[in-house]
Amino acid sequence: MATTKKKTTSATKTAAKSKNFASAPINKSLSKEEKIDLYRTIVGIRRFEERSLRAYNQGKIGGFLHLYIGQEAVATGIVSLMEENDHIITAYRDHGHALAVGMSMNECMAEMYGKHTGCSKGKGGSMHFFAPDKNYWGGHGIVAGQTPLGAGLAFALKYKGLKGCALAFLGDGAVNQGSFMETLNLASLWNIPVVFVIENNGYSMGTSLKRSSAEENLAHRADGFDMEWEVCNGHDVFEVREVANRAMTRAREEMKPFLLEIRTYRYRGHSVADANHEKYRTKEEIEEYKRTKDPVNVIKQQLLADGTLTEEEAKRIDQEKKDEAEASAKFADESPVAPRSEIQTDVYWEVDNDAEGKLKGTYFFND
Amino acid sequence: MPLITYREAIKQALDEEIQRDENVCIMGEEVAQYNGAYKVTEGLWEKHGDKRLIDTPISEAAFSGLAIGASALGIRPVVEMMFMSFSYVAIDQLFNNASFCRYMSGGLMNIPIVVRGPANGGTNVGATHSHTPENMVANHPGLKVVCPSNAYDAKGLMKAAIRDNDPVFVMENTLLYGEKWEVPEEEYIVELGVANILQEGTDLTIVSHGRCAMLSLQAAKTLEEKHGVSVEVVDLRSIRPLDEETILKSVKKTHRALLVEENKPYCGVDAQISHIIQLKAFDYLDAPVHRVSAIDAPQIYAKELENWQIPNEERIIAGALKALA
């Protein structure tokens, strides 16, 4: 049994210890500016999501809208640890990860508005943000469907002899999909450097963890595949960083997969269309989390306490992010929809890159 | 020109492409140490080792998805499905991720993978192992699909598929693996989207693909000998992209068309071909377009009945005589 295994760790126990994660080496080494950046990203995600909710309610955004509000510190903390050869992929609740890797609010908002200026030209929508130039491989709509792709990114790193890891995010509902369990087995069998990150917000749509998973300690499933695992809380960005750093370092250094379960919470429904979210959980439960574990407030209080931030600076950053989100909605609103000719581009690489007209045969079948 | 089997031709293609490009690797159940369930990859593991020939557990969804993810970073995996029927447990990976990642990313990604394996009936194994899903694949913009009918095409199309920057399905046929054709020793490629006229004729065009193209060729010879009919046989080779031009040119010449495939008829490949012919060569037709497909029921186990269920020479000749009436 390897030494990093933490069989007894649970979120409650860790939280009860009230360990000061900010003083862990990986966090202590952060400069003042880097710490402020973490705050900026967390606040940015919050304000972006709030603005996109307004746009959705105004009928400006179609389809589904799965908000990341309440979970911001998870993507922010983990992405902040990414190195040159690290890659990331996630499911449909993908806005936080997108902003954390550095995608602009404009391209993300415009994508949700279905505009040509969106990151996917309006072809993907809310669930399908991509930025391969930032090692961000989406944004995937089918529960757990992205997990084998994440293992594939890690497989490619190993195949090419590159030192890095792939981060494959999933929700607590995804753990009961066959593709994820198949992927856990492959990743461990082949020793590929993938870190699976379960963002456990307690509910797979309207079904609580208790009602969907026989073993509620989701990370324990790794034992069945001889894989290392850890559990931590997701509201404190410094805790996320401390624990994820171990997983990512191990993946990079030892070429081994890791299963990380992060206990977090979403304030809104599964999607905005989930009108029942206050029926399958209590208002008190939501309010209690907001009061004691709000990721924006938690980092703000920490940075105020250690003198990194002043109230004024915090307020200024908050306002900047509100303004940026507002501007992104304006940008999206004013952007054009792609021309109809765009419906049939980006289908085949070979067609899109056939400048010389060498391709044979018919690719599209319209009368 | 040496006579080699369809199986050997595919193996040569894989072998040559592994040597040509260090990013090409083969993965699937029993492809390496067992030498392939149908011996298509026989000897390749011994020759190229663990990195290039990768045995997988029985987890089609996971290894298909893994191949897709790896291809995003430049690996060019050739995924073997022991039977194409088994791809059905990986449909989310193949029909959502392989086909749509490029589109949903607005063209920022491409997925250069090959999915290959036998897709045929006629082997007395029942409905779950006898699928011919080229129509389902072709129904997904973003995917390409080819159905080689002979060893020459199998090698040339496989090489083209591996070099292609989009996901390509190569539908093989277990009944052809042991058949021999002439295959040149020097390197060649068969481009996607180019049909092959197996035999020229003037009275009737038979459009077919895969093993049915070979059956059609045989039927055409019988039709000539016994009925004095001159049949042109068009082997599609590639389903998507499709060589419409060759189909239409032939039909405009013969004025009659019979479409032959092993797919079930409803929404089969030939349903689309039939539509294209009526739309684009309507005025040239002297008779309705006729079809010979698998008889529309789940694949039956009983050998004698299955051999009647899928197209055979007798049924093709009967179909041709209807189209000529």
Side-chain angles (χ1 to χ4, degrees), chain A residues 98 146 172 257 299 338:
Chain A
Q146 77 285 2
D172 48 290
I299 186 171

Side-chain angles (χ1 to χ4, degrees), chain A residues 22 29 38 73 102 118 126 129 131 153-154 189 192 204 208 222 247 296 306 328:
Chain A
S29 63
L38 291 173
S126 160
F129 292 177
L153 295 167
L189 186 70
I192 48 183
S204 51
S208 68
V296 174
D306 73 3
S328 76

Side-chain angles (χ1 to χ4, degrees), chain A residues 85-253:
Chain A
N85 289 321
D86 294 345
H87 294 263
I88 175 172
I89 190 165
T90 188
Y92 46 80
R93 199 178 304 284
D94 62 344
H95 310 166
H97 311 75
L99 296 175
V101 300
M103 289 177 73
S104 74
M105 286 193 192
N106 279 0
E107 62 182 321
C108 292
M109 191 66 86
E111 184 60 28
M112 292 195 280
Y113 275 58
K115 297 298 181 71
H116 200 189
T117 51
C119 53
S120 300
K121 306 181 193 169
K123 296 179 180 186
S126 160
M127 301 187 283
H128 308 113
F129 292 177
F130 288 81
D133 63 323
K134 299 176 175 65
N135 293 0
Y136 179 51
W137 299 96
H140 294 265
I142 303 296
V143 173
Q146 77 285 2
T147 56
L149 270 62
L153 295 167
F155 174 90
L157 291 172
K158 183 172 180 177
Y159 191 97
K160 292 185 161 187
L162 297 170
K163 191 172 170 184
C165 69
L167 298 155
F169 284 76
L170 61 149
D172 48 290
V175 301
N176 295 319
Q177 281 278 36
S179 58
F180 175 56
M181 281 179 267
E182 287 183 25
T183 303
L184 285 177
N185 181 55
L186 261 195
S188 187
L189 186 70
W190 291 355
N191 288 320
I192 48 183
V194 55
V195 177
F196 298 102
V197 183
I198 303 170
E199 293 190 75
N200 180 358
N201 63 27
Y203 296 90
S204 51
M205 197 168 157
T207 305
S208 68
L209 191 64
K210 218 182 258 312
R211 295 202 300 123
S212 59
S213 288
E215 161 61 280
E216 288 180 53
N217 293 292
L218 303 179
H220 290 190
R221 296 190 184 201
D223 283 335
F225 301 98
D226 194 25
M227 189 187 295
E228 302 299 326
W229 56 269
E230 273 200 64
V231 180
C232 75
N233 291 305
H235 61 275
D236 177 354
V237 72
F238 297 114
E239 178 173 353
V240 170
R241 278 174 50 86
E242 206 255 338
V243 178
N245 178 54
R246 277 198 292 278
M248 292 165 75
T249 304
R250 184 171 188 278
R252 291 186 205 110
E253 300 292 332

